[in-house]
Amino acid sequence: MPNEIDLLLVERIGGLAGFGVAGSRIRCRGQLAFNSLPDTDQRLVEALFKGHGKSKPSAQRDTFSYRISCARKFGAKTVEVPEAALPATIIACVKDELI
Amino acid sequence: MSCQCFIIPEDVLERFAKDKSLSEAQRKSFADAAQFERKWRKLRATYGKVSAAANTMLASRAQTAAPPTITVYNCNHGTTLPGIPVPYPGDATAKRAFVETKAVADFYQKLFGRNSVDNAGKTLMSSIHFSVNYNNAFWNGTQMTYGDGDGNIFVDFTRSDDVIGHELTHGVTQFSAQLAYSNEAGGLNESISDVFGSMFRQWRAKQSVDKADWLIGKDIMGPGAIAKGYRCLRDMADPAAKHCLSQQPTHYSQYKNGMDPHYSSGIPNLAFCKAAKAIGGNSWEKAGKVWYSALTGFAPQPNMKMKTFANRTRTLAKSMFSKDPAVFTAINNAWIAVGL
Ligand SMILES: [Zn+2]
C-alpha cells in the first residue's frame, strides 16, 4: 500500500508542567503522514527509529520530549526524542489541550 | 505494545551533524547538541571530584567574587538560542527576566552565601519570547528559556517569580548535588526547584509560612485553565488537589521507579511544606537553610534516594539548630507523614 497511510503519532511530554505524565491535566498530541515530511526530515525520522543507543545523562531540565510511533512503517517501536533534536515540521503537528 | 523509548545518543547527533543532506541550520543544531552533552559530562565528572571541604573553600572565595552578570536575549519567536541581546530594561517580559533573575541571585547570596548557580559568579543568561505560543520554561544546562504561553492555558512564563526561581535552582542543583533526572533523584531534583522557587516567592513577598499559598506557577495560568478551575501547576501544601494541572502523589507508598520527576516531586514537596509550617515564621530561615545544606554541603550524589535526602535534613536539623529541637521534630514528623 502507498505511504499515505503511514501515520506518525506524536505526543509531547514533560516540560515544567509535566505534560502527559501521570496526574497531568494537559495532553498534547498530533499526527501527520510520514510522506508529507520533507525528504531530510523523513531520513531523520528513519534514523531515529533505526537507532538503538542507550541514552546518556543530559543537563536539560523541564524541556519537552516527544514520543513518536508509526506502526505501519516501524512496527511497535516508540522513540522518545528531545525537542531540540526534532524538525519543526513534526513539532508543529501537536496541539496542547486541557483534559 | 512494546515501547523501546530512548533519546538520541551522541553518535547519532554527530552523524547528523556531518550529514551534508541536512540544512546548515539543522547540522549546526546537532553539532551544538553533541558538543554540549560532551562538555557537560566532562564538567560533571570534574565537579564530582570536588570534595565537600573544597566546596567550603569555594564558598568563602565566592563571598568576595563579583555578583553574577544578568543577561537577557530575545528569540523573537524563533527557536535558536540564545537570540539577540536585549539592553536593559527592554519590554515587560525582558524587564521581568532581568529583575527577577537578579532577585534570585540576591536571594541565594543574602540567605545562603551562594554566588550564582555555580557559586563562582556564573553569568545568568535568559532567553525570552522562545518559539510561538510556547507553553514552557526550561533550563538547558547553561541558561534559562521562557515561552510566552498560548494565552489560553498559560500566559508569559516570566510572570511567575517562582518559575524563575525554579529554573535557576536547576542550575544550583546541577552545580551541587548533581541529582539525576529519573527515579527518586529525579523527583528530588524537581522538588528542590519547587521548594526554592516557592521559598524565593515567599521571600520576595515577605510572606510567612502561614500567609504563603504554596502554589507553583499560579501567575502563569491562562484564562482557559482558570475557567476550568485550575489555579496552579502544583500545590506543595496539597499535591493531589483538583485545582492543580499536575496532580501528584502525597505519600512514598505511592512511589514507583520510572515515574516522571514532575509527578513524584509531590512527596518531598509536601514534606518541606509540612516541616516549614510546623516550624513557623519564614520558610527560608530554618527549613530552607536545612534543605540548602542538604543539597550543597555534600559530595555530589546523582542517584540519591529520597530517604537519604530526608535523613540528611534530620542530621542537619540537629546540628544546625541544636538549641532549637523543635526544628528537628518538625522536619522528622514531616518526613514520617509522607512515609519517609
Ligand atoms: Zn523543573
Side-chain angles (χ1 to χ4, degrees):
Chain A
M1 288 297 288
N3 284 339
E4 65 199 26
I5 49 172
D6 291 341
L7 274 183
L8 281 181
L9 303 182
V10 185
E11 181 176 13
R12 174 186 277 167
I13 51 170
L16 173 69
F19 281 55
V21 308
S24 174
R25 311 307 297 160
I26 310 179
R27 185 171 56 197
C28 180
R29 291 177 181 165
Q31 58 184 43
L32 78 171
F34 178 81
N35 68 352
S36 71
L37 291 170
D39 280 354
T40 52
D41 292 353
Q42 287 189 17
R43 291 184 40 251
L44 200 149
V45 170
E46 282 169 346
L48 291 174
F49 276 93
K50 278 183 200 151
H52 47 77
K54 263 199 160 184
S55 66
K56 291 181 180 173
S58 163
Q60 301 196 355
R61 302 291 181 253
D62 298 326
T63 50
F64 287 133
S65 290
Y66 293 78
R67 282 194 190 123
I68 305 174
S69 61
C70 184
R72 281 191 62 90
K73 195 162 180 64
F74 302 114
K77 189 170 183 176
T78 297
V79 294
E80 191 170 317
V81 187
E83 181 169 77
L86 268 189
T89 46
I90 294 180
I91 293 170
C93 85
V94 297
K95 186 167 169 28
D96 298 339
E97 59 177 343
L98 295 170
I99 50 175
Chain B
M1 177 176 133
S2 72
C3 175
Q4 298 168 281
C5 296
F6 71 101
I7 65 169
I8 299 184
E10 201 171 290
D11 60 328
V12 177
L13 289 173
E14 281 167 351
R15 185 147 42 88
F16 287 146
K18 290 174 189 156
D19 189 333
K20 293 266 168 30
S21 68
L22 297 176
S23 71
E24 195 177 329
Q26 280 175 315
R27 287 205 306 275
K28 184 172 183 321
S29 160
F30 286 118
D32 288 349
Q35 188 188 34
F36 173 75
E37 298 296 344
R38 242 186 342 262
K39 277 186 179 167
W40 175 73
R41 273 192 293 279
K42 197 172 167 190
L43 182 72
R44 198 176 71 142
T46 307
Y47 246 79
K49 290 173 189 156
V50 179
S51 66
N55 269 331
T56 307
M57 285 162 62
L58 278 173
S60 61
R61 198 186 65 184
Q63 301 276 345
T64 55
T69 304
I70 313 292
T71 57
V72 175
Y73 293 77
N74 189 345
C75 293
N76 284 312
H77 308 293
T79 56
T80 303
L81 291 174
I84 308 295
V86 179
Y88 181 83
D91 66 11
T93 302
K95 189 172 181 188
R96 277 192 296 272
F98 273 117
V99 169
E100 295 306 323
T101 303
K102 171 75 167 60
V104 174
D106 289 348
F107 165 80
Y108 273 109
Q109 178 65 66
K110 285 178 182 160
L111 299 182
F112 308 111
R114 187 176 192 86
N115 186 359
S116 187
V117 293
D118 63 348
N119 203 18
K122 178 179 165 61
T123 293
L124 297 175
M125 183 193 287
S126 303
S127 293
I128 57 170
H129 302 310
F130 180 81
S131 194
V132 178
N133 295 331
Y134 194 68
N135 282 332
N136 201 21
F138 61 85
W139 165 260
N140 75 352
T142 302
Q143 65 159 99
M144 290 75 66
T145 302
Y146 302 97
D148 293 333
D150 62 2
N152 176 41
I153 301 175
F154 294 113
V155 294
D156 190 330
F157 276 66
T158 61
R159 283 183 181 269
S160 256
D161 53 5
D162 58 278
V163 167
I164 294 178
H166 177 110
E167 297 310 331
L168 278 159
T169 300
H170 277 309
V172 174
T173 300
Q174 176 179 317
F175 286 101
S176 55
Q178 298 181 12
L179 296 170
Y181 214 43
S182 59
N183 298 333
E184 297 200 32
L188 278 173
N189 191 326
E190 266 306 307
S191 173
I192 295 290
S193 276
D194 278 353
V195 162
F196 285 91
S198 177
M199 202 190 304
F200 166 65
R201 183 158 176 254
Q202 293 170 30
W203 178 73
R204 282 290 271 167
K206 299 183 174 63
Q207 275 178 336
S208 66
V209 292
D210 297 323
K211 292 278 185 318
D213 60 21
W214 297 92
L215 303 179
I216 301 296
K218 176 174 180 276
D219 301 323
I220 58 169
M221 303 305 288
I226 292 168
K228 286 200 165 203
Y230 298 117
R231 295 176 54 210
C232 58
L233 298 178
R234 295 177 282 276
D235 183 343
M236 294 180 65
D238 187 4
K242 293 262 185 290
H243 59 249
C244 301
L245 273 175
S246 259
Q247 294 159 21
Q248 301 179 288
T250 55
H251 195 274
Y252 186 67
S253 60
Q254 297 164 272
Y255 173 83
K256 288 186 182 66
N257 275 344
M259 281 177 167
D260 188 275
H262 299 87
Y263 184 62
S264 58
S265 60
I267 301 160
N269 274 2
L270 182 58
F272 179 81
C273 180
K274 280 180 177 290
K277 281 184 165 181
I279 293 167
N282 297 318
S283 62
W284 57 88
E285 285 170 352
K286 292 176 181 171
K289 286 203 162 36
V290 170
W291 253 246
Y292 179 78
S293 293
L295 177 72
T296 63
F298 299 79
Q301 195 173 334
N303 296 312
M304 197 191 301
K305 303 277 192 202
M306 291 187 187
K307 183 80 179 214
T308 305
F309 188 85
N311 286 340
R312 275 188 187 179
T313 65
R314 288 180 165 108
T315 305
L316 286 163
K318 278 185 178 167
S319 60
M320 294 170 72
F321 296 96
S322 57
K323 291 179 181 160
D324 189 354
V327 175
F328 170 79
T329 303
I331 289 175
N332 186 44
N333 287 345
W335 285 117
I336 289 171
V338 301
L340 286 158

